Amino acid sequence: MSKRKSTAAEVAVAEARPRRSLRNAQPASEPEPVAASTPAAKELKTVQPKNTPKAVVKKGGRKTPQKVEEESAKAPTPKTRPKKASSADAKPQDKDTDEKTYWLLKAEPESRFENGVDVRFSIDDLAAKTVPEPWDGIRAYAARNNLRAMKKGDLAFFYHSNIKEPGIVGTMEIVEEHSPDLSAHDPKAPYYDASSKPSDPKWSVVHVEFRSKFTAPIGLKELRQMGEKGKPLENMQMLKQTRLSVSKVSAAEWEYLMSVAEERGAASQK
């Protein structure tokens, strides 16, 4: 059976009906579906998820979210942030080896004989020397240890001992550090010590030079008064160990005694 042909009147009626527009085929807010095999579908598959931060153009000098995220990733965490150096972390520095220390050395200015030799030696004898003088004859371990602790450039008081009015009479400087006391090996020397061998010397000597003579000595009686409890010399080694011929003097004690000497008049200096 063949298909019936439309009459002219039917065709005219059909053409008069309104056609549906493609604009109304899908809601305006939804994209037209595309087959998965088309290029457009492939692009839709690679679109970034909504929770992935997108690059935002930097405007008005403000940091974009992308920039903030990059800087946050580079910034050190509190655990890795370097700690600032503090004074407590600093290593203690070594003492200055050139810093002066102070001493008191005793000598006998009046004649006294040991082993047939006069051991007399005064501040004036030292002032007359043209070369460094060896401070020899020390035969006590505590005094010897103090000699060995002396450094070149240290200063010392010259103390007249074993006289009617002993006391501090001037100053001198240590110009050569300790070396073996060769007089201990000489049988003719006043302080010969047969137990001290040249291969293993027991005793030491330093070399000194004259620096000043006080206008007026600071006598032992005065020193003892200054060494009473609560006074500047209460801890002075020489006053506590009276038989010690080489003793330590603190910086405060040195400054105090030098101020006493200056008050009495300028000391004569070399």
Side-chain angles (χ1 to χ4, degrees):
M1 185 174 177
S2 62
K3 187 176 180 180
R4 182 178 65 86
K5 292 183 179 179
S6 300
T7 65
E10 290 175 337
V11 171
V13 171
E15 289 178 353
R17 291 175 183 170
R19 295 175 179 270
R20 292 184 66 187
S21 171
L22 289 177
R23 288 178 183 273
N24 300 323
Q26 295 289 341
S29 59
E30 295 183 9
E32 185 178 358
V34 184
S37 59
T38 64
K42 292 181 180 179
E43 290 180 5
L44 288 174
K45 287 183 178 180
T46 58
V47 172
Q48 292 181 331
K50 291 183 179 179
N51 59 351
T52 304
K54 297 181 180 180
V56 180
V57 179
K58 187 176 181 182
K59 295 182 180 179
R62 298 181 62 188
K63 293 181 180 178
T64 65
Q66 185 180 21
K67 188 71 175 178
V68 171
E69 186 175 307
E70 290 174 357
E71 291 184 357
S72 177
K74 293 178 182 179
T77 63
K79 291 184 179 180
T80 59
R81 185 172 286 117
K83 183 182 177 183
K84 288 183 179 180
S86 65
S87 57
D89 297 330
K91 292 183 180 180
Q93 295 182 348
D94 295 335
K95 265 191 171 181
D96 184 358
T97 54
D98 295 331
E99 184 181 355
K100 286 184 175 62
T101 51
Y102 304 95
W103 310 90
L104 182 147
L105 286 75
K106 296 179 179 179
E108 299 179 30
E110 296 180 353
S111 290
R112 186 177 70 82
F113 290 86
E114 283 282 345
N115 197 22
V117 179
D118 192 351
V119 294
R120 168 185 173 280
F121 192 75
S122 70
I123 186 74
D124 294 325
D125 293 326
L126 179 61
K129 299 293 181 179
T130 57
V131 295
E133 176 70 8
W135 200 270
D136 56 10
I138 302 301
R139 298 295 180 266
Y141 289 110
R144 180 207 64 182
N145 292 343
N146 281 340
L147 282 181
R148 290 182 177 181
M150 293 177 181
K151 300 296 181 184
K152 183 178 180 180
D154 286 358
L155 298 174
F157 287 123
F158 195 120
Y159 183 95
H160 280 172
S161 67
N162 202 24
I163 56 174
K164 186 177 180 179
E165 295 182 1
I168 299 173
V169 294
T171 65
M172 52 190 163
E173 182 177 346
I174 312 305
V175 295
E176 292 182 29
E177 296 177 12
H178 73 90
S179 58
D181 185 352
L182 301 179
S183 68
H185 311 140
D186 182 3
K188 296 180 180 180
Y191 296 104
Y192 170 65
D193 183 359
S195 66
S196 180
K197 307 297 181 184
S199 58
D200 185 23
K202 288 171 59 176
W203 309 111
S204 298
V205 61
V206 296
H207 286 72
V208 301
E209 285 184 354
F210 172 83
R211 287 295 173 262
S212 68
K213 179 180 177 179
F214 294 163
T215 303
I218 305 175
L220 179 57
K221 290 181 181 179
E222 294 176 90
L223 292 170
R224 285 173 176 165
Q225 290 175 350
M226 298 171 187
E228 292 173 357
K229 188 174 182 180
K231 294 190 175 180
L233 304 183
E234 67 172 318
N235 296 315
M236 192 172 185
Q237 188 179 35
M238 190 273 292
L239 297 174
K240 292 183 175 295
Q241 297 173 265
T242 56
R243 296 182 65 84
L244 193 60
S245 62
V246 179
S247 59
K248 297 177 183 178
V249 176
S250 72
E253 291 165 352
W254 177 272
E255 290 175 5
Y256 174 74
L257 289 168
M258 289 300 292
S259 68
V260 171
E262 289 170 4
E263 285 176 3
R264 298 179 180 184
S268 60
Q269 298 183 353
K270 188 172 182 179

